[in-house]
Amino acid sequence: MKGFTYLIYALLTFVSFSSAHPGMGDTMAAMRREANKVKRVESKVLIGDLKTLKDTQLTPIGKDIKAILLDQLDAESNIIDTSIPAGSLGSAACKADLCCVWKWISYEMTAKFNGTSGRCNKFARQAVRLGFHDAGVWSNTSTYGGADGSILLSDEMTRADNNGLSAIADQMKAWYNKYSPYGVSMADLIQMGANVATVACPLGPRIRSFVGRKDNSKAGPASLLPGHLDSADTLIKLFAAKTIDAHDLVALVGAHTTSQQHFVNTGRDGDPQDSTPGVWDVKFYPETTGNAAPRVLKFQSDINLSKDPRSAGEWQEFSNPSNGQDHWNEDYAKAYTRLSLLGVNNINDLKECTKVLPPHRSSYVAEDQVILDMWLQGQFNQLNSLVDDAIMLTGFGGGGSGTIITP
Ligand code: HEM
Ligand SMILES: *[C@@H]1O[C@H](CO)[C@@H](O)[C@H](O)[C@H]1NC(C)=O
Ligand SMILES: *[C@@H]1O[C@H](CO)[C@@H](O)[C@H](O)[C@H]1NC(C)=O
Ligand SMILES: *[C@@H]1O[C@H](CO)[C@@H](O)[C@H](O)[C@H]1NC(C)=O
């Protein structure tokens, strides 16, 4: 016990030391990360057909996905095809090229998800959450559910869990009607939507994107999605049963960096979960544990997770202003790849169309920051539903064609 107390003391001293000396802290953080990796590989669980297939039976895609799931391979990719699609939608040339239809879809999704402010908009944020809510309805005891399109092919949308997703649901169904004649499944459309949306947000990772999932119109099992009042213990157990460990869970909830809630507190409709909604930065992490602007509304579930000893360490690492972003993007991409394959039993037969995604944006300057700052302090309630396009309203940086709003 004495040794244990001493260890805690040593760690605390170490933490304050490393924050006082950022350069040194980075090296130490990198060392801790390497040590963590070794530990994590052992605890990584395989899913779907990869649980039973032998290495000799794996396709190149199957091998890559297995390595990503085992934390041995990066799930981000910059491989991009900037050429125009092989042919128009439905043409023989387009049908002959697997990713052609996905290229048309990516163009349409990117246009829909990119706000005029340069931030990603509410359709993007909802698309990321929709990807989670389709795939997340699965546990290691389920015989069905997961990333199967059922969120939009069954009555799952009537569940309270899915409040706040109706705009993307309608849009996704319209895309499905347009593109399903060309062999596109709802499950893939939803997961590609989440990946296009993530990279459409400034700083968001460009996540490797696989297609070939099968649809199911049967509603997934109930009570498998988290609640905003859940304790850290409840959340960690809920996700463990989805093969998602505490580390990956901390990475995934970072998606709240883009969020603007509507149903947690209806009196504060549109209030964000960090100071930069629509931007895939790491501010969500330190703002959840520390001070945040008055308009930032923190979820109790996020606060709980940020404090639990099983998740607090990673929370702190992602909060690091010098390397937190790259670390988080890398971990989020891996964790989301796993999430997007829950319940998928033909992983070895999937194909890859990552090249259709828009480019990653590694920097972002909010030209309307002056107005946003006032909004974050509590002014300009009318901006709550307009942050996506605030630059148009304010006229800042937008060529002066917008109207300047006054408080
Ligand atoms: C710890 C578990 C989680 C809880 C309790 C939780 C809960 C919530 C709640 C209550 C909202 C606000 C919905 C609204 O009022 O409109 C929300 C928004 C959101 N969540 Fe989560 N979530 C969790 C994990 C995740 C994960 C794993 C992802 C994605 C990988 C995610 C992505 C999002 C996104 C992008 C939004 C913003 C939606 C928007 O702005 O319209 N969440 N979440
Ligand atoms: C999104 O919009 C911004 C601002 O209009 C622009 O700079 C950026 O290139 C767009 N991104 C994509 C992927 O189209
Ligand atoms: C988690 O959040 C709830 C509120 O929903 C709070 O009452 C509880 O103390 C928190 N639990 C932990 C372990 O932090
Ligand atoms: C499901 O996951 C939980 C949490 O990790 C674990 O305790 C349990 O043994 C798993 N069950 C099966 C059937 O794999």
Side-chain angles (χ1 to χ4, degrees):
M1 192 59 204
K2 209 170 195 169
F4 180 69
T5 316
Y6 177 74
L7 179 67
I8 296 277
Y9 179 74
L11 277 173
L12 285 173
T13 321
F14 168 70
V15 167
S16 44
F17 174 74
S18 49
S19 48
H21 303 265
M24 183 68 164
D26 287 354
T27 320
M28 292 306 209
M31 280 165 58
R32 262 204 315 267
R33 233 175 109 194
E34 286 310 311
N36 278 341
K37 267 189 190 164
V38 175
K39 207 169 60 204
R40 290 179 60 209
V41 172
E42 294 161 10
S43 60
K44 289 289 173 185
V45 178
L46 288 173
I47 48 176
D49 48 328
L50 295 184
K51 276 199 306 204
T52 46
L53 289 172
K54 298 194 190 79
D55 279 349
T56 53
Q57 296 173 293
L58 296 182
T59 59
I61 298 280
K63 274 194 190 108
D64 275 11
I65 294 179
K66 180 171 177 177
I68 291 170
L69 294 173
L70 294 178
D71 202 12
Q72 294 161 345
L73 186 68
D74 197 351
E76 292 177 274
S77 166
N78 284 322
I79 295 172
I80 191 158
D81 176 5
T82 51
S83 64
I84 56 164
S88 58
L89 199 59
S91 67
C94 198
K95 281 180 182 154
D97 172 352
L98 170 81
C99 296
C100 177
V101 62
W102 287 107
K103 192 141 203 202
W104 287 113
I105 293 170
S106 172
Y107 284 160
E108 200 170 337
M109 286 179 166
T110 302
K112 189 76 192 176
F113 294 158
N114 199 3
T116 50
S117 60
R119 290 180 282 272
C120 60
N121 62 22
K122 72 165 184 183
F123 288 100
R125 301 194 299 268
Q126 289 184 23
V128 172
R129 187 162 175 245
L130 184 75
F132 164 43
H133 282 208
D134 191 35
V137 175
W138 184 87
S139 86
N140 61 3
T141 58
S142 312
T143 52
Y144 65 102
D148 61 1
S150 63
I151 193 169
L152 299 179
L153 297 170
S154 72
D155 64 0
E156 278 178 44
M157 279 298 292
T158 60
R159 298 176 183 175
D161 288 332
N162 295 323
N163 281 347
L165 291 173
S166 60
I168 194 63
D170 291 347
Q171 177 60 71
M172 206 55 89
K173 284 183 200 159
W175 282 332
Y176 180 71
N177 290 336
K178 180 170 173 184
Y179 293 106
S180 62
Y182 308 106
V184 167
S185 71
M186 183 68 100
D188 283 343
L189 199 59
I190 290 172
Q191 296 309 325
M192 184 65 83
N195 286 2
V196 171
T198 303
V199 73
C201 301
L203 316 188
R206 199 162 174 281
I207 305 174
R208 288 183 68 178
S209 300
F210 305 100
V211 295
R213 294 174 188 78
K214 296 188 172 130
D215 283 344
N216 190 349
S217 58
K218 177 177 172 173
S223 311
L224 289 177
L225 289 173
H228 68 88
L229 296 176
D230 286 350
S231 69
D233 193 57
T234 300
L235 293 168
I236 289 170
K237 286 181 176 145
L238 181 71
F239 279 81
K242 302 183 197 304
T243 76
I244 293 171
D245 60 24
H247 177 117
D248 284 357
L249 171 57
V250 173
L252 288 170
V253 293
H256 292 162
T257 186
T258 58
S259 177
Q260 286 179 258
Q261 71 84 32
H262 303 282
F263 292 92
V264 170
N265 183 338
T266 50
R268 293 179 57 181
D269 190 24
D271 278 3
Q273 278 56 73
D274 78 355
S275 58
T276 52
V279 182
W280 201 272
D281 58 16
V282 285
K283 291 191 178 159
F284 163 77
Y285 291 105
E287 290 181 11
T288 299
T289 45
N291 292 331
R295 193 177 288 279
V296 172
L297 187 156
K298 306 179 191 183
F299 297 157
Q300 190 61 51
S301 50
D302 290 333
I303 297 173
N304 283 352
L305 263 183
S306 74
K307 290 182 181 160
D308 190 279
R310 290 164 287 183
S311 37
E314 208 53 34
W315 203 282
Q316 285 306 320
E317 293 209 0
F318 293 146
S319 300
N320 185 328
S322 61
N323 68 0
Q325 182 80 50
D326 288 347
H327 180 188
W328 177 47
N329 280 15
E330 184 185 327
D331 290 2
Y332 183 90
K334 275 186 202 139
Y336 194 83
T337 300
R338 172 182 290 275
L339 177 60
S340 74
L341 295 170
L342 296 181
V344 177
N345 291 314
N346 61 333
I347 295 177
N348 199 36
D349 301 323
L350 297 182
K351 302 285 185 283
E352 179 163 17
C353 287
T354 308
K355 65 181 181 184
V356 306
L357 297 176
H360 164 72
R361 281 190 274 167
S362 58
S363 67
Y364 177 68
V365 177
E367 294 181 57
D368 51 3
Q369 194 63 51
V370 177
I371 297 291
L372 280 184
D373 284 340
M374 294 166 85
W375 175 71
L376 288 166
Q377 290 306 313
Q379 298 182 55
F380 297 130
N381 280 330
Q382 70 269 40
L383 268 187
N384 281 23
S385 55
L386 293 167
V387 170
D388 305 341
D389 300 312
I391 206 160
M392 291 292 278
L393 276 173
T394 60
F396 277 87
S401 57
T403 350
I404 308 257
I405 48 171
T406 44

